């Protein structure tokens, strides 16, 4: 299977493995997957280095995204999206 950047095929090694449990009300095993979690609950990846300040242009982009979404000021997700854009 080829790796994909979108919603396409995922490499077999990257697919999370389920935990199989048996329910009390039946004999059928059930697969349980771990929950991914929100971006603000995860620690910063080690390979990224120290965080950098947003440039004035990227701050303006984040403010524009927040305004388009109806928020008075940008949140973490707006800042992350603005920082990723080139």
């Amino acid at each position: 299977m080829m790796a994909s950047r979108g919603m396409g095929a995922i490499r077999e090694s990257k697919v999370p493995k389920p935990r199989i449990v048996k329910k009390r009300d039946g004999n059928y095993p059930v697969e349980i997957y771990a929950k991914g979690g929100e971006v603000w609950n995860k620690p910063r990846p080690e390979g990224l280095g120290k965080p950098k300040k947003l440039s004035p242009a990227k701050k303006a982009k984040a403010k524009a995204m927040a305004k388009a979404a109806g928020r008075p000021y940008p949140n973490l997700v707006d800042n992350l999206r603005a920082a990723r854009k080139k």
Side-chain angles (χ1 to χ4, degrees):
M1 223 181 250
M2 290 187 60
S4 173
R5 294 183 55 153
M7 294 294 294
I10 300 173
R11 286 187 184 168
E12 301 254 347
S13 62
K14 300 290 183 183
V15 176
K17 303 292 186 251
R19 183 171 55 110
I20 298 176
V21 296
K22 288 192 176 181
K23 302 283 270 187
R24 292 182 185 166
D25 58 352
N27 294 331
Y28 300 106
V30 178
E31 295 178 349
I32 298 177
Y33 291 89
K35 188 175 178 184
E38 302 296 340
V39 68
W40 46 86
N41 291 333
K42 294 179 185 177
R44 182 175 173 83
E46 302 250 342
L48 290 181
K50 289 194 170 190
K52 299 176 185 91
K53 301 264 183 188
L54 286 179
S55 69
K58 289 184 179 183
K59 282 184 186 179
K61 185 75 172 171
K63 285 181 183 180
M65 282 190 262
K67 187 176 180 183
R71 291 186 294 276
Y73 52 88
N75 61 13
L76 175 69
V77 177
D78 293 325
N79 291 337
L80 289 172
R81 283 186 186 148
R84 182 179 287 182
K85 303 275 182 179
K86 293 195 177 195

